[in-house]
Amino acid sequence: LSTSDWTKQSIYQVLTDRFARPDGSTSACSDIRSYCGGTWQGIIKKLDYIQGMGFTAIWISPIVKNIEAYTAYGNPYHGYWAQDIYSLNSHFGTANDLKQLSSELHKRGMYLMVDVVVNHFASNSSPQTVNYGQFNPFNSANYFHSYCPIDYSNANSVITCWLGDTKVPLPDVKTEDAGVRSTYNAWIKNLVSTYGIDGLRMDTTQNVEKSFWPGFSSAAGVYLVGEVANGDPSVYPDYLRYISGTLNYPTFYWITRAFQSTSATMTELLNGINTMKGQMTTNTLGSFLENHDQPRFPSLTSDIALAKNAIAFTILMDGIPIIYQGQEQHFSGAGDPNNREPLWTSNYNTNNDLYPWIAKVNQIRNQAVYKDNQYLTYQAWPMSPNSKTIVLRKGFGGSQIVSVHTNIGANGASYGVTLTSDYTGFTANQALTEVLTCTAVKTDGSGTLSFTQGPQTKVFYPTAQLTGSGICSSG
Ligand code: ABC
């Protein structure tokens, strides 16, 4: 699937071992640092749950065979500790299971993104005693940089030194070597076609030299979203010259800080978005509020109104929304591995606060994309009518979404907001729907929109554009 086709999608991040067991059992996992039993067959059985929230794609954990060892950090249930890239991780299923997952997704018009690691392999040993013979295909020390721990103040060290630590070192592959590159390129080409993979999430993008990516991308032939784990927006424009997209880490930090507390202001988020959009096209970035590496948002605040605002903002801003499994259940695990709760303990509840909320926000974004093929090319225009509120306009006049997000929290006092037509693009006496409550509203004779803002996000959209969508019962 091409980059422009991916910009239309909405992605649900699945941690394969923690999403669903194939037998549907929901008993607790006895060791959160070991395999808990989720598989590709488990995912297949729960695709309705994912699709019911309006997602059009899933991103799954790395699929290759990992080391079989109970290390100081447990087993590689997460999939990032490769040993043999030509075999699959049998804990997750067979080749046929993975092909079936891909074809079941495609039957639904959905897409498969696979997490891929090229930067390193893993070893349950000290860095000095790695047995390179266990790796396939890079089965000797010649294929790896010699050991050094990463010094983050040194750019070359970030690329050539080893991630992990002395308990579980991650031997760093010589991705600059021509032979290694051609092996990886042939491998990814084959992997993508064998399993019908539509996109790749590239692990540790910052830890591989940039010149690796163009050749790998063209061999893969699909959209790549690179994990640039960096809060500094200034590094992104250059990455986008080498790779089709990246995760939007800077905005992740800003959204988190804007919504994690009722005493925060919107200034950093507002300025950050304006800075980024001035430097790059942000539509191919992956927007997220949570992932399996960061403390979950509800570990910072239990206020569900703040979670709802932050999630809606993530979905409606520029870029491809990515929601990490468990967000819809308001899971609150903090650091790794506590942020990797098995989802089945929720019994896949669809009648809570957040599951239908995410569904509605995805649905209105999907509708806007469907109605106007220019919707995604419009770079969202943020505006802050007061320090507690950020408004986002996305879309050209006639089919724009204007969403209003606040951090006053569940117990905050309502207040009035007025948005003029030179910002919103709404016209005089235009019929709008606030789609999260299905409330009809109208602009005044000069196109101004006035409303009372409470703790929840509001999403305004032209009522005429809802016809046929089923949203707010428009038939
Ligand atoms: C295991 C244990 C942990 C233990 C650790 C030493 O070993 O579980 O409890 O603390 C996988 C597993 C992990 C496992 C690791 C290491 O492997 O999932 O459970 O941890 O064995 C990706 C994946 C991640 C994965 C790997 C490794 C990479 O998403 O799940 O981890 O394949 C770096 C990498 C990044 C990586 C991340 C975890 O570490 O670049 O690719 N994620 C700074 C650096 C970043 C660095 C980050 C985290 O610290 O710049 O490069 O990411 O340490 C902002 C700055 C950022 C800064 C942050 C902290 O602050 O702008 O630059 O990031 O303000």
Side-chain angles (χ1 to χ4, degrees):
L1 202 66
S2 70
T3 298
S4 76
D5 285 332
W6 269 100
T7 63
K8 300 174 185 156
Q9 311 307 321
S10 183
I11 303 172
Y12 184 76
Q13 182 194 349
V14 171
L15 216 61
T16 303
D17 180 60
R18 303 287 157 93
F19 179 69
R21 292 186 178 128
D23 65 359
S25 70
T26 55
S27 55
C29 180
S30 55
D31 178 0
I32 192 136
R33 290 189 180 274
S34 190
Y35 286 99
C36 291
T39 67
W40 297 317
Q41 281 296 340
I43 302 172
I44 292 169
K45 295 192 173 119
K46 285 283 170 209
L47 287 178
D48 283 348
Y49 174 85
I50 298 172
Q51 196 172 24
M53 259 178 294
F55 293 103
T56 61
I58 64 171
W59 147 22
I60 60 170
S61 302
I63 61 177
V64 304
K65 184 181 187 328
N66 276 219
I67 58 171
E68 288 293 341
Y70 197 88
T71 72
Y73 304 111
N75 287 314
Y77 64 86
H78 42 71
Y80 294 98
W81 294 348
Q83 182 184 61
D84 174 1
I85 64 170
Y86 292 121
S87 301
L88 294 177
N89 187 332
S90 60
H91 296 273
F92 299 156
T94 64
N96 280 338
D97 293 338
L98 185 54
K99 287 177 189 165
Q100 194 188 337
L101 172 58
S102 166
S103 70
E104 295 292 335
L105 284 164
H106 294 155
K107 272 188 220 159
R108 293 167 183 257
M110 294 174 72
Y111 299 100
L112 176 63
M113 174 176 280
V114 169
D115 205 325
V116 168
V117 188
V118 295
N119 177 65
H120 52 262
F121 283 57
S123 178
N124 184 33
S125 71
S126 71
Q128 291 77 20
T129 57
V130 172
N131 166 18
Y132 293 93
Q134 70 180 306
F135 300 138
N136 189 16
F138 305 128
N139 59 0
S140 89
N142 297 334
Y143 293 108
F144 296 86
H145 295 120
S146 46
Y147 173 69
C148 45
I150 292 181
D151 166 8
Y152 280 101
S153 66
N154 176 333
N156 191 52
S157 166
V158 173
I159 288 170
T160 59
C161 290
W162 294 19
L163 279 165
D165 62 9
T166 53
K167 293 179 190 150
V168 184
L170 304 181
D172 194 86
V173 178
K174 281 186 182 165
T175 41
E176 72 279 14
D177 179 274
V180 167
R181 285 187 181 186
S182 69
T183 300
Y184 266 142
N185 293 350
W187 167 74
I188 198 64
K189 186 172 184 209
N190 181 58
L191 200 78
V192 164
S193 75
T194 303
Y195 297 108
I197 296 168
D198 304 294
L200 305 175
R201 181 267 190 190
M202 294 310 311
D203 191 61
T204 45
T205 300
Q206 276 196 119
N207 304 94
V208 176
E209 68 288 344
K210 288 174 183 163
S211 62
F212 177 84
W213 298 113
F216 189 82
S217 299
S218 70
V222 294
Y223 168 74
L224 270 56
V225 63
E227 184 216 10
V228 176
N230 199 315
D232 176 1
S234 72
V235 309
Y236 286 78
D238 200 46
Y239 272 105
L240 294 174
R241 297 174 50 229
Y242 295 88
I243 192 163
S244 44
T246 66
L247 296 178
N248 191 340
Y249 253 98
T251 311
F252 151 74
Y253 288 115
W254 302 326
I255 299 175
T256 302
R257 290 198 283 260
F259 291 101
Q260 71 185 359
S261 152
T262 54
S263 54
T265 74
M266 296 298 165
T267 312
E268 183 188 41
L269 177 59
L270 178 78
N271 294 344
I273 288 179
N274 282 328
T275 301
M276 280 188 89
K277 76 185 254 207
Q279 292 173 1
M280 69 197 94
T281 302
T282 46
N283 282 331
T284 68
L285 306 189
S287 316
F288 65 97
L289 176 66
E290 293 183 22
N291 65 30
H292 59 303
D293 291 333
Q294 304 296 332
R296 286 188 182 271
F297 183 81
S299 74
L300 306 169
T301 171
S302 59
D303 187 326
I304 194 124
L306 293 177
K308 284 181 164 181
N309 277 274
I311 289 171
F313 192 91
T314 313
I315 296 175
L316 295 173
M317 65 185 263
D318 285 341
I320 307 166
I322 306 174
I323 298 289
Y324 171 45
Q325 68 173 54
Q327 282 189 252
E328 72 280 13
Q329 300 295 343
H330 208 226
F331 279 179
S332 58
D336 160 10
N338 298 320
N339 53 1
R340 300 167 178 192
E341 309 92 328
L343 187 63
W344 49 81
T345 59
S346 69
N347 280 312
Y348 306 95
N349 186 2
T350 58
N351 295 315
N352 59 17
D353 275 319
L354 291 173
Y355 183 101
W357 177 262
I358 292 171
K360 276 188 176 167
V361 182
N362 264 332
Q363 204 179 14
I364 191 64
R365 179 182 184 272
N366 292 343
Q367 176 70 4
V369 171
Y370 166 72
K371 277 304 220 182
D372 180 6
N373 59 17
Q374 293 306 302
Y375 176 77
L376 294 164
T377 68
Y378 186 101
Q379 288 205 284
W381 180 4
M383 201 267 276
S384 190
N386 62 47
S387 66
K388 313 300 290 169
T389 312
I390 188 160
V391 186
L392 265 190
R393 171 187 170 175
K394 188 166 171 70
F396 296 96
S399 49
Q400 70 273 52
I401 291 180
V402 174
S403 60
V404 187
H405 311 261
T406 170
N407 67 6
I408 59 172
N411 301 318
S414 300
Y415 54 96
V417 175
T418 299
L419 301 174
T420 55
S421 65
D422 52 356
Y423 169 69
T424 63
F426 292 141
T427 54
N429 304 309
Q430 188 175 4
L432 306 173
T433 300
E434 194 293 292
V435 296
L436 297 175
T437 54
C438 294
T439 306
V441 291
K442 223 179 192 14
T443 58
D444 71 10
S446 41
T448 297
L449 174 64
S450 303
F451 53 94
T452 300
Q453 181 65 35
Q456 304 299 358
T457 296
K458 287 195 193 301
V459 176
F460 298 101
Y461 189 63
T463 305
Q465 300 286 357
L466 289 174
T467 310
S469 69
I471 297 172
C472 296
S473 344
S474 29

